[in-house]
Amino acid sequence: MRRRASRPQSLPLHPFAFLISALCAATVCAAEEAAEKTPEVSLGTVTVQGASDYQPSTQQTGIYTTRKSRSATGLNLSLRETPQTVSVVTRSQMDDFKLNSVNDALAATSGIVVEKVETDRTYYTARGFDVTNFMVDGVGMPMTHGQVDGDLDTAIYDRIDAVYGANGLATGTGYPSASINFVRKRPTRDFAASAGVKVGSWNRNRLDGDISTPLNADGSVRARLVVARDSGKSYVDRYSHDKTVFYGVIEADLSDSTRLALGHTQQENKAQGAMWGALPLAYSNGTPTNYTVSTSTAANWSYWNTTVRSSFAELTQELGSGWTGKAVYTHTERPNEGALFYAYGQPNANTGLGLYSYPSLYTMKNSQDLLDLSASGPFTLGGRKHDLNLGLSQARADISEISNYGVGIGTALPALENWTGDYPIPSFTASVNGSAFKEDRRSAYAATRLNVSDRLKLIGGLRSTSSDVVGTAYGVSRATNASRTTPYAGAVYDLTPVLSAYGSYAGIFNPQHQVDASGAALKPVEGSSVEVGLKSEFFERKANASVALFRSEQRNLAEAAGTIGTTTYYRGIDATAEGLQADVSGQLSPRLQAALGYTQLSLKNPQGGEARTYVPRQLLRLSSTYRVPGMEQLKVGGNLSWQSDIYARYNGAEIRQQAYALLNLMARYDFSKKLNATVNLNNVSDQKYVGSLMWASSNGQGTYGAPRNASVALNWTY
């Protein structure tokens, strides 16, 4: 990371031109299949069977897209029929590039920016705004603090969908950024199993297993078990982690029309040497710091343990005439605890001194209960068949936090270049603060797709949401009461059998918990989001392409404005985002899989100035694999991520991260249909970069991304 005064460099036009060319050529591509149908080495297709609302699995298909998704509207639509941009990270892509964490998987999407502000705390942004809506199998509620604690694993997921723009139909509230839908693996009627072992840089080791089996002769009762263990050290001094993942699910066909699923997920993360806060990015005289990527502010006794436990029950009932009813209940607990050490202040450029201690003993309990009832199916109007989805949702979140601050706050620290984390464990009796609040959300929603003609489809809906919060957070009242009904409207017009034009509009409503400098909670965000574009599917629906123009307006959006102690306060701003997003994904030839995305963004405040400058204005993502002719056992690939300059201002200093690109390479060799080995090399050029400036304007801090690293994995599939 370096500081400079010049403007960000512009991305050459050729990536965008390629995307437009691919989209416009879709009609031709659909009619001209490759002359040579080279068979792909396959480990077999895992097919999930059951009620008609199931979506096909992406596991072991080798394809980087999906044909159907309910993530945007609750209706079972193809990506071309959905009037919003949707990007998908499939199980095949996760396996090829060993995207074992949610952070790595979302960093491979076409438009999600992973804002890793600390070693164990991450935020996400898209189209300039925070991503706060996370769903599992299409059902969910916003994260309590808009963040993810710990390193969430992807072992249990079949694919991850990102729906860009406002998504009020599916989630009720949120910013016009994106909603993330994690689609879980499900049991299969036929026996299937896989296992893998991976070793990598910094003594990182991983074991995982996945087994699905029928429990009776006809497969009407079936189960699936997924386990993983990931541990090792890190490029960050004193940091190590130990992660254990368990997922078990049983499905039973109670009758020809009734299915019951019961499941439980548990993940435990144990992180030693975890950082609370990050590295100072500017000296007291305003010049940039330049630490080694391994530098840490953590004390040698620091730790942060996070756990996620989630149990669910899902009852699906065929109601007749093509209608399906579903009831889903989920209970989730996210306890975590840690002995943490924060270093605040700005160091002197000559001596490195000027940082001070802030230790804390932290515990949190976070439980969520969610009940969602829905029914979907066709109806006839005007002599044509249409689709309808109706539902009710009730959710409660109960959060309690306690921070016991250590004796000795404000003790001067040595220069980070010479510090080994040697700091005596204090008595955590200096002071106590914390949170205790509850949030209740209730929603009613309806969405319909009207087949006006063979070419024109109209999608519309409403979602009415109310939110009630009682309690306090670190001495500040969190009490709020807000309700709103947000509309959604979309249209899709088929220009050809494989090419469609679309447009959509969504209202924005999002209650906020952030407080201003006086301690008063900010009012809810309101606004609107509009998107128009073209979509195509080709190569027998094995590939999808889209290009979209979007614009969103928000009022009273929370933006970090400073800190009081270690507590961040916010101000409400108005912001307008507009830009372009393009996406191509799937099988582009019998040998070539690709996922390519490009986003260009303008983000302004009412005065015309730049807003949220830590968000990159240009983003390019490319993942691709190729089966080598004449050596069918070998598949090679690469993953490229490029972003434009970002910057923040703190205490008169400009903190800037120049535009950079990260290149990852992979090679997989199939010894047989059951056994293969994969080699991955990440950050090939050993690029040094600060991964996020999200907090830099409020505390002047950030963390370096991982340097060059490698791994080797051996995988077996039955």
Side-chain angles (χ1 to χ4, degrees), residues 72-149:
T73 64
L75 301 168
N76 196 21
L77 307 177
S78 69
L79 300 191
R80 183 167 67 90
E81 295 169 323
T82 303
Q84 285 179 260
T85 300
V86 181
S87 67
V88 180
V89 180
T90 65
R91 185 71 255 169
S92 297
Q93 185 176 349
M94 287 187 271
D95 289 342
D96 283 342
F97 291 97
K98 300 306 173 188
L99 307 177
N100 296 321
S101 77
V102 166
N103 286 351
D104 292 340
L106 292 181
T109 62
S110 66
I112 304 294
V113 179
V114 177
E115 306 279 1
K116 192 170 184 180
V117 296
E118 299 168 339
T119 54
D120 292 86
R121 185 156 41 176
T122 309
Y123 296 80
Y124 308 102
T125 60
R127 294 186 175 181
F129 302 114
D130 296 352
V131 177
T132 58
N133 286 328
F134 299 88
M135 302 176 285
V136 177
D137 294 336
V139 179
M141 68 179 294
M143 297 293 287
T144 305
H145 294 295
Q147 70 191 35
V148 171
D149 295 334

Side-chain angles (χ1 to χ4, degrees), residues 193-538:
S194 65
V197 57
K198 186 182 81 168
V199 295
S201 300
W202 311 302
N203 294 319
R204 295 194 62 169
N205 303 293
R206 181 180 177 90
L207 294 170
D208 56 69
D210 183 352
I211 183 170
S212 183
T213 182
L215 299 180
N216 58 1
D218 63 359
S220 60
V221 182
R222 51 207 173 267
R224 189 161 190 167
L225 176 66
V226 179
V227 294
R229 178 73 180 273
D230 198 313
S231 62
K233 295 184 179 180
S234 168
Y235 66 95
V236 178
D237 290 342
R238 302 181 293 282
Y239 185 79
S240 63
H241 82 283
D242 191 322
K243 179 172 61 173
T244 304
V245 181
F246 168 87
Y247 169 56
V249 58
I250 296 176
E251 286 186 347
D253 298 327
L254 304 182
S255 70
D256 292 339
S257 61
T258 307
R259 185 183 69 245
L260 176 66
L262 301 173
H264 179 75
T265 302
Q266 182 159 319
Q267 177 176 326
E268 295 185 354
N269 298 301
K270 297 181 179 180
Q272 297 292 326
M275 293 171 65
W276 180 33
L279 303 175
L281 298 178
Y283 289 113
S284 56
N285 64 2
T287 60
T289 59
N290 188 24
Y291 298 105
T292 62
V293 296
S294 62
T295 305
S296 172
T297 58
N300 51 23
W301 42 261
S302 298
Y303 73 91
W304 197 341
N305 296 338
T306 61
T307 301
V308 178
R309 294 187 291 265
S310 183
S311 301
F312 73 94
E314 177 186 280
L315 181 65
T316 305
Q317 177 66 52
E318 300 292 339
L319 303 174
S321 301
W323 276 77
T324 301
K326 181 181 289 187
V328 180
Y329 171 74
T330 303
H331 174 76
T332 303
E333 296 179 350
R334 294 185 175 90
N336 66 73
E337 62 177 11
L340 305 173
F341 189 85
Y342 183 81
Y344 68 94
Q346 286 184 276
N348 181 278
N350 296 320
T351 66
L353 302 178
L355 296 180
Y356 304 92
S357 66
Y358 207 109
S360 174
L361 189 64
Y362 174 75
T363 59
M364 183 187 76
K365 295 180 180 179
N366 180 349
S367 66
Q368 293 181 341
D369 291 277
L370 175 63
L371 176 64
D372 188 86
L373 307 175
S374 63
S376 61
F379 67 97
T380 302
L381 180 66
R384 302 185 69 89
K385 184 175 289 187
H386 314 281
D387 302 295
L388 181 64
N389 181 44
L390 304 169
L392 297 171
S393 181
Q394 170 79 41
R396 164 168 285 194
D398 192 342
I399 299 95
S400 63
E401 300 171 282
I402 298 177
S403 293
N404 295 276
Y405 298 110
V407 174
I409 289 176
T411 300
L413 301 176
L416 288 181
E417 292 88 345
N418 304 319
W419 196 42
T420 61
D422 188 14
Y423 186 94
I425 300 177
S427 173
F428 293 99
T429 57
S431 62
V432 179
N433 207 340
S435 302
F437 59 91
K438 296 180 181 181
E439 178 178 8
D440 288 291
R441 292 202 182 196
R442 296 168 295 278
S443 296
Y445 55 91
T448 184
R449 181 174 70 158
L450 302 177
N451 298 302
V452 178
S453 69
D454 290 344
R455 289 192 172 189
L456 178 61
K457 310 295 188 294
L458 300 180
I459 297 175
L462 294 170
R463 186 168 186 128
S464 179
T465 301
S466 65
S467 172
D468 297 295
V469 183
V470 295
T472 60
Y474 289 90
V476 178
S477 174
R478 284 285 296 265
T480 59
N481 182 289
S483 62
R484 193 77 77 249
T485 297
T486 53
Y488 181 95
V492 179
Y493 185 80
D494 295 337
L495 302 173
T496 73
V498 295
L499 180 65
S500 301
Y502 75 93
S504 63
Y505 168 90
I508 297 170
F509 166 67
N510 194 46
Q512 300 186 102
H513 64 82
Q514 292 90 341
V515 298
D516 60 22
S518 68
L522 298 180
K523 294 180 180 179
V525 176
E526 296 188 73
S528 61
S529 177
V530 178
E531 180 175 329
V532 295
L534 297 172
K535 286 193 172 187
S536 181
E537 54 188 11
F538 44 101

